[in-house]
């Protein structure tokens, strides 16, 4: 396909739409994982998160069609997303040693981003590969175009999280929604769902999102209850200094 081909420009529009729709998921994950970092470390977390997302897509693009046909792959990915969504709702640990905690949190944030990107980039890569129709130039364009979307999107979401904490819950619920959708579109479940339980295509994402939020909030409440005595001890120690 050349620049003067209508099919080329149709593919370009399709790839841009794919990046806008699916790239936002990665932005949410990066924002969730980096929200607890100090301001000067957030940009570093975003950089490595975006770098990991793009690197994974470059690798996955060469295996996209083969990966799509691997049974149980999306189900495993869905389980990972549920775990990540629940984990991101947990409260921040309390204690001194802020420099060590910040460094550890940065590494943990990057690990979380890479795992989530590996799961969620499958749909993005497969969609771009299909729209590009074997054109490596269009594939590269799609990957490059996704960078500013993920970077700007994650910064915007983080600002919303700082101002409106409810967006953290919404973000975790979104991960659950994506997990539910992946579970019913796996190679081993897709045909059965279409033939026997088409309603699961919308019910499963709703249930998975609800499950992530409910379990995450319940575990967070228990963790905060255990942390309360520790907070009191830290405050008493600061007052006696």
């Amino acid at each position: 396909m050349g620049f003067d081909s209508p099919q080329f420009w149709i593919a370009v529009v399709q790839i841009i739409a794919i990046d806008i729709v699916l790239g936002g998921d990665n932005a949410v994950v990066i924002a969730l994982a980096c929200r607890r970092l100090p301001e000067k470390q957030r940009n570093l977390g975003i950089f490595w998160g975006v770098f990991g997302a793009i690197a994974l897509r470059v690798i996955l693009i060469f295996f996209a069609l083969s990966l799509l046909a691997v049974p149980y792959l999306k189900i495993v990915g869905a389980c990972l997303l549920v775990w990540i969504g629940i984990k991101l709702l947990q409260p921040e640990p309390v204690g001194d040693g802020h420099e060590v905690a910040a460094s550890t949190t940065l590494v943990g944030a990057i690990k979380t981003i890479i795992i989530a990107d590996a799961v969620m980039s499958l749909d993005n890569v497969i969609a771009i590969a299909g729209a590009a129709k074997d054109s490596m130039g269009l594939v590269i364009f799609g990957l490059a175009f996704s960078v500013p979307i993920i970077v700007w999107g994650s910064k915007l979401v983080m600002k919303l999280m700082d101002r409106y904490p409810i967006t953290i819950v919404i973000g975790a619920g979104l991960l659950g929604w994506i997990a539910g959708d992946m579970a019913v579109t796996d190679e081993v479940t897709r045909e059965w769902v279409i033939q026997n339980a088409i309603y699961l295509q919308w019910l499963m994402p709703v249930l998975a999102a609800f499950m992530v939020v409910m379990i995450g909030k319940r575990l967070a409440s228990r963790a905060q209850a255990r942390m309360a005595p520790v907070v009191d001890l830290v405050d008493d120690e600061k007052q006696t200094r």
Side-chain angles (χ1 to χ4, degrees):
M1 290 185 292
F3 289 104
D4 56 345
S5 169
Q7 287 81 9
F8 174 86
W9 294 108
I10 291 173
V12 168
V13 172
Q14 288 176 337
I15 289 172
I16 291 174
I18 290 166
D19 277 328
I20 291 173
V21 173
L22 298 181
D25 297 339
N26 298 84
V28 169
V29 168
I30 292 173
L32 283 169
C34 295
R35 75 184 191 277
R36 294 173 181 165
L37 298 179
E39 185 64 33
K40 58 184 178 181
Q41 286 195 345
R42 284 187 174 184
N43 288 334
L44 191 59
I46 290 172
F47 169 79
W48 286 111
V50 172
F51 177 84
I54 301 305
L56 281 168
R57 291 182 187 187
V58 171
I59 295 171
L60 290 173
I61 197 69
F62 295 104
F63 305 100
L65 297 179
S66 299
L67 287 172
L68 185 63
V70 175
Y72 301 104
L73 182 66
K74 284 191 173 183
I75 293 176
V76 172
C79 293
L80 279 173
L81 281 187
V82 167
W83 173 74
I84 290 171
I86 292 172
K87 184 170 178 285
L88 289 171
L89 284 174
Q90 303 314 297
E92 186 175 2
V94 177
D96 287 330
H98 297 293
E99 293 183 4
V100 175
S103 176
T104 303
T105 304
L106 176 60
V107 173
I110 293 172
K111 287 181 179 179
T112 298
I113 292 167
I114 297 299
I115 293 172
D117 280 337
V119 174
M120 293 195 304
S121 291
L122 284 173
D123 287 345
N124 185 284
V125 165
I126 290 165
I128 289 177
K133 302 185 187 303
D134 298 325
S135 171
M136 187 53 65
L138 283 174
V139 169
I140 294 172
F141 167 78
L143 294 173
F145 190 82
S146 66
V147 175
I149 292 176
I150 296 173
V151 173
W152 295 334
S154 59
K155 288 187 176 181
L156 174 62
V157 173
M158 271 194 292
K159 288 180 180 178
L160 289 173
M161 287 177 179
D162 286 340
R163 190 165 184 178
Y164 307 105
I166 188 63
T167 56
I168 298 172
V169 178
I170 295 172
L174 176 60
L175 295 185
W177 182 282
I178 297 169
D181 183 70
M182 291 180 69
V184 295
T185 56
D186 187 84
E187 187 70 15
V188 298
T189 59
R190 184 175 60 250
E191 290 300 324
W192 185 89
V193 168
I194 292 173
Q195 294 177 9
N196 300 283
I198 193 71
Y199 59 87
L200 287 178
Q201 290 184 341
W202 61 265
L203 181 60
M204 196 66 176
V206 172
L207 290 177
F210 183 79
M211 180 180 69
V212 166
V213 172
M214 289 298 100
I215 294 177
K217 295 292 285 183
R218 187 175 182 85
L219 292 177
S221 297
R222 291 181 179 178
Q224 287 174 337
R226 290 195 299 268
M227 288 165 55
V230 177
V231 173
D232 293 338
L233 288 173
V234 171
D235 291 339
D236 292 342
E237 184 180 345
K238 288 180 179 179
Q239 291 175 2
T240 56
R241 287 177 181 176

